[in-house]
Amino acid sequence: MRAAPTILHLDMDAFFASVEQASKPSLRGKAVIVGGLGPRGVVATCSYEARIFGVHSAMPMAQARRLAPNAAYLVPRFEFYRRISEQVMGLLRALSPLVEPLSLDEAFVDLEAGGAAWDEQSARLAGTRLRADIRAVTGLTGSVGLAASKMLAKIASEQAKPDGLVLIEPGTERALLAPMPVRTLPGVGPATGDHLRRAGIHTVDELAEAGEDELVRLLGKAHGHALYAMALARDERPVVAERETKSVSVEDTYDVDIHDRTRVGLEVQRLADRCVRRLRGAGLSGRTIVLKVRRYDFSTLTRSETLRGPTDDPAVVREAAARLLDSVDTTGGVRLLGVGVSGLADYTQEDLFAQAAGEHAEEVEEEREDDGPGEERRAPAERRWPAGHDVRHAEYGHGWVQGSGLGRVTVRFETPDSEPGRVRTFRTDDPDLEPAEPLPLVARRPGGVGGAATSGGYAGAPG
């Protein structure tokens, strides 16, 4: 344990929901729930206003609707969240080379390694400036914990929520932890918590009093030793910069089981293309193609195929995924499909002729769709309008989808810096209505904090 509180933990406040509220003036101060909206959907996150009703992350969406029937229910915009996350992570990397992201909205920072802090006063100043910079760049709030270890910094950020800063002074750690429930400590989940409770251990202080030998007897050697050390506020884990990505994957869960084999094949092809876009976006390629299939009875099958060399060619990934699907029986129906690529590398060893042939085939397909006579073109599939996603109307400008169904789509026309906007309803095939890119949450200001932190663009910029 270090002598100064120079490890920082940042946790953005209700990140997805806060982004949606910042994007949509009419939702500010309202209950907002983001997640899958189908019968099998779950809550990804929700605003603090929704939490008053008992809604929380990972709750089944059907239960959330019963608890908060008047909340705004939105489909996630993950690409937009990722862009804003990149802005926040850029601010963290300006503080230190040692930044350990845990998710899109959470990270540890070793302030000492970057010279940003060396004692209590400088650490508090760094945390205060970070929160101000995050608000200036993204318009969002984040909670900051500062302590001498990762475990305590994370506990501090939890205490700081929402929109606060808590610093745990060195020397006060054990007194702070003592009355806390054992579930506060990392690694103590529901099962371990219940096991300890049955043994009469409810608080961290009782955990420390039980002694190391007793914890090893109850939980096993590795877990017992680790938990005893944490109960004494000992945590020597370093902040580890950027963990190496081991795989890139995408998957979809379907509201209704898919029985048609042709539809299953088309879904796998679509997922393969999405996976490759994510792969290329990360500047990676991979040798092993993985197919995941969860069937009607919840049984999950995984099939994989390893290629001779790394690839980021969509045609190659599609073909491999299709071959893997051939070995899976989907007769009873499919509830989830996923395609992934592992064995990653930052280069490719493609057969250039095959790649060129694949690109040519894609061009031919595009020409086939674009150049045919109007009367003979294949009728386009009905456009989907996910709730919360951005649209633009030729007359009314930028807005977002409030809901759709029965051939109609309802749109509220407003922008992040406008007043709450008006609502209008259109036919789902209205030619004047098109999907749109999200707008930046905060207008870019030349020479300001936003400009310094967003050298690759700003939140919402096409990228």
Side-chain angles (χ1 to χ4, degrees):
M1 291 263 298
R2 43 183 86 184
T6 53
I7 291 182
L8 179 149
H9 181 261
L10 170 72
D11 196 353
M12 299 296 289
D13 299 322
F15 184 50
F16 297 171
S18 293
V19 170
E20 299 300 344
Q21 289 177 319
S23 293
K24 304 169 173 65
S26 59
L27 296 185
R28 293 169 192 169
K30 307 280 182 65
V32 175
I33 299 172
V34 181
L37 303 189
R40 294 172 180 161
V42 297
V43 176
T45 194
C46 59
S47 67
Y48 287 98
E49 295 85 356
R51 297 179 192 190
I52 294 171
F53 299 100
V55 181
H56 58 77
S57 298
M59 172 182 284
M61 191 61 75
Q63 183 180 355
R65 288 187 185 276
R66 288 193 296 271
L67 293 172
N70 298 319
Y73 288 85
L74 307 177
V75 175
R77 298 183 293 166
F78 287 115
E79 287 304 317
F80 189 39
Y81 306 151
R82 191 171 289 109
R83 294 173 195 167
I84 297 170
S85 172
E86 288 169 359
Q87 288 186 301
V88 174
M89 296 301 165
L91 290 171
L92 299 184
R93 293 186 187 98
L95 290 173
S96 172
L98 291 184
V99 175
E100 183 178 339
L102 303 179
S103 62
L104 289 178
D105 62 339
E106 186 181 1
F108 288 110
V109 184
D110 187 333
L111 296 175
E112 191 174 328
W118 50 92
D119 59 11
E120 181 181 331
Q121 183 178 354
S122 57
R124 188 181 295 276
L125 181 60
T128 300
R129 286 178 174 169
L130 173 64
R131 292 179 59 238
D133 287 348
I134 289 172
R135 187 185 290 273
V137 171
T138 69
L140 305 176
T141 64
S143 296
V144 166
L146 292 156
S149 71
K150 290 169 71 173
M151 176 186 75
L152 291 163
K154 185 171 174 60
I155 289 172
S157 70
E158 281 297 318
Q159 292 183 329
K161 283 189 166 295
D163 190 21
L165 181 151
V166 167
L167 182 147
I168 298 176
E169 298 178 9
T172 67
E173 296 94 346
R174 286 199 62 182
L176 176 78
L177 286 175
M180 292 184 174
V182 292
R183 288 288 304 275
T184 303
L185 300 180
V188 182
T192 301
D194 287 343
H195 195 48
L196 291 171
R197 180 178 51 78
R198 288 193 294 271
I201 299 172
H202 302 86
T203 67
V204 176
D205 190 40
E206 291 171 343
L207 199 63
E209 287 181 354
E212 190 168 16
D213 291 343
E214 176 65 7
L215 294 180
V216 168
R217 186 187 69 80
L218 286 171
L219 305 172
K221 189 173 182 179
H223 202 179
H225 285 313
L227 211 51
Y228 182 68
M230 286 189 286
L232 299 180
R234 298 173 187 162
D235 179 18
E236 302 295 340
R237 294 174 300 158
V239 175
V240 180
E242 297 290 1
R243 300 177 187 274
E244 183 180 355
T245 303
K246 296 182 178 180
S247 65
V248 173
S249 63
V250 297
E251 62 181 43
D252 275 344
T253 301
Y254 303 98
D255 295 339
V256 178
D257 292 347
I258 303 175
H259 293 82
D260 181 69
R261 183 73 178 188
T262 302
R263 166 85 188 285
V264 172
L266 291 172
E267 289 294 315
V268 167
Q269 300 296 291
R270 183 179 61 81
L271 289 166
D273 287 342
R274 276 176 53 197
C275 183
V276 168
R277 286 198 296 272
R278 185 170 294 182
L279 194 70
R280 288 182 167 180
L284 297 169
S285 60
R287 297 183 64 225
T288 302
I289 315 303
V290 181
L291 175 71
K292 178 179 176 182
V293 180
R294 181 166 297 149
R295 299 189 291 189
Y296 69 99
D297 58 358
F298 287 89
S299 62
T300 302
L301 304 177
T302 303
R303 300 287 185 268
S304 64
E305 175 181 323
T306 299
L307 309 174
R308 287 180 297 176
T311 184
D312 66 351
D313 185 340
V316 173
V317 176
R318 283 196 300 265
E319 290 169 7
R323 286 194 296 272
L324 294 170
L325 180 62
D326 287 341
S327 65
V328 177
D329 180 11
T330 62
T331 305
V334 169
R335 60 186 293 117
L336 177 147
L337 290 168
V339 174
V341 177
S342 60
L344 302 182
D346 57 1
Y347 61 92
T348 60
Q349 295 176 339
E350 287 300 334
D351 178 340
L352 297 181
F353 293 101
Q355 188 170 358
E359 292 172 354
H360 176 68
E362 291 177 3
E363 291 171 1
V364 169
E365 185 62 30
E366 289 175 2
E367 290 173 1
R368 209 175 275 156
E369 291 178 3
D370 295 342
D371 297 339
E375 295 77 15
E376 296 180 9
R377 288 183 189 169
R378 180 172 55 86
E382 183 177 353
R383 290 189 293 179
R384 294 179 65 250
W385 301 102
H389 283 224
D390 298 81
V391 295
R392 176 167 290 280
H393 190 274
E395 180 180 353
Y396 301 110
H398 192 93
W400 58 277
V401 176
Q402 280 201 326
S404 63
L406 302 177
R408 295 288 186 269
V409 54
T410 300
V411 177
R412 184 180 289 273
F413 290 97
E414 59 186 5
T415 64
D417 56 356
S418 75
E419 295 296 319
R422 299 185 63 181
V423 175
R424 296 183 182 275
T425 299
F426 308 91
R427 286 172 35 193
T428 54
D429 59 354
D430 189 320
D432 288 336
L433 189 67
E434 294 290 342
E437 282 290 315
L439 296 176
L441 300 182
V442 175
R444 193 175 187 180
R445 296 173 304 197
V449 174
T454 56
S455 58
Y458 51 76

